[in-house]
Amino acid sequence: MKYLLGVDFGGGASKATLLGVDGKVYATATYEYPTYYPAPGCAEQDPEDWYKATVANVRAVMEKSGAAPTDILALSLDAATHTAVLCDEEGRAVRPAIYWTDTRSVREVKELRESHGSLIFEQALHNIDTIWTLPQILWVKNNEPELFAKTKRIMFAKDYVRQKITGDRVTDRIEAQGSMLYNCPQKKWSEELCALAGVREEQLPALADPTDIVGKVRAEAAADLGIAEGCPVLAGMTDTVAEVFAAGAVNKKNVTLKLATAGRICVITDKAHPSVHLVNYSHITNGLWYPGTATKSCAASLRWFRDTLGCMSYRELDEGAEKISVGCDGLMFHPYLNGELTPYADPALCGSFIGIRAGHTKAHFTRAVLEGVAMSLMDCKKALDGLNIPMDDYATAIGGGAASPLWRQIVSDALGIKLQLRNISDSSFGSAMLAGIAAGVFASPEDALAKCSAIKNETVPNPENTEKYEKLFEKYKAVHDALAPIYHG
């Protein structure tokens, strides 16, 4: 048997999937790593943790499956975009990577909006915000000039790991779109946007398509990973497009709803839809895009609650929350732990529990978190509806949070749409299928999906609950409107 290997780097963990050429998954492995919060509003990760996770996960799937090192036909990586690694001439990180949820660059965002807002939007197709690489690099330049001076190369998360495996200096065009240093209409690095960050184009990686073979596993990395030297490695892609692909969204109007570290609703279109409410990225299929709305702290909110207040497993939290009625007896949560994106693009917003009474239990708080994220996704859905983008009347649920039947039902009820769940749809699976396309195992994305994926079950909305959530949403918005001025003060 020959295999395809996909490795994903998510917000808190990396996952590897070993996919057989027969379309079956033979092994998976997960390795967690921390996010560091050195100061309020700051979020960083150690790039070396990503490589350690890669080694641990690849070795684990090889051992579980019994595959021989020479059985791997191709390797593909994916990761969250906006995560730049500032490196010296040898490719070593000069500081921890600023994660995309970081909000320290508020001042830089304000200055860029006022001085070059139109130029940035015209070329990057996005509204300037703290999630983008451009203001993050500018913050380093302004506040850590000695480290900025040491920066000779700029890589992105998956590309930094791949560099350690192959020695290449390449990124894919979808990743580049997330940097705010890229001219999307002209499909090249932007001299003007790079200049705003004090970056030269030669410091940035070369551009490739996701399925391009950009290097081969070097001897040292082969020894670390337990796979053969010379194994082809793809340019890869971002984690969201990997999930979109894995979820079967490869045709116009297809919709994905992501319950992961961040939450997103994406629609497949045949063009970009530049809007302050949307994040626009191109699809792996030429000519297609997947513009989407986003809420910053989705599963990140539940993870925070579990680790800080819940103190029990996700399954136990769900079991308690199932017993609580819609609306949590007046308790409400706003998931703005790191500010918010759609529809506010406001890094100053903060998370909150509102309406606490003596009778509320831990189960009430758990359900309030689940419902609060659902309310934020309602904000996202209504922003898409307002732009009249054609979409199917159902969505495929993806991300770790989609494994919860309770959370899927709450979101389905709140949005009033049917949710499909595939047998597997995570990013590392999408990357493994992409490796199969590059290796010639699959003829196309549609061929890969037909051979590797199937719909597992469906969640149908309860109309009575949908009506209740519509009324609850009005209160949710009113609380935002009341508290936003306080946070800004």
Side-chain angles (χ1 to χ4, degrees), residues 219-242:
E220 183 179 349
D224 288 343
L225 299 169
I227 61 178
E229 180 182 358
C231 177
V233 185
L234 284 65
M237 54 187 165
T238 65
D239 61 346
T240 302
V241 74

Side-chain angles (χ1 to χ4, degrees), residues 162 166 168-170 208-209 212-216 233-236:
R162 197 186 58 250
T166 68
D168 73 81
R169 280 191 58 204
V170 177
D209 290 326
D212 287 348
I213 302 295
V214 296
K216 295 183 178 181
V233 185
L234 284 65

Side-chain angles (χ1 to χ4, degrees), residues 3-83:
Y3 303 92
L4 307 157
L5 186 55
V7 180
D8 163 65
F9 304 95
S14 174
K15 181 179 179 181
T17 292
L18 191 66
L19 178 67
V21 295
D22 59 357
K24 297 179 182 179
V25 172
Y26 281 82
T28 63
T30 302
Y31 186 99
E32 292 191 356
Y33 41 73
T35 299
Y36 301 97
Y37 302 95
C42 296
E44 299 180 343
Q45 293 188 355
D46 183 349
E48 291 307 307
D49 286 343
W50 306 331
Y51 186 70
K52 291 176 185 176
T54 306
V55 171
N57 282 336
V58 172
R59 284 197 161 274
V61 296
M62 295 298 287
E63 182 178 346
K64 288 179 182 179
S65 65
T70 55
D71 287 339
I72 308 302
L73 295 179
L75 166 65
S76 182
L77 311 178
D78 70 80
T81 191
H82 317 297
T83 309

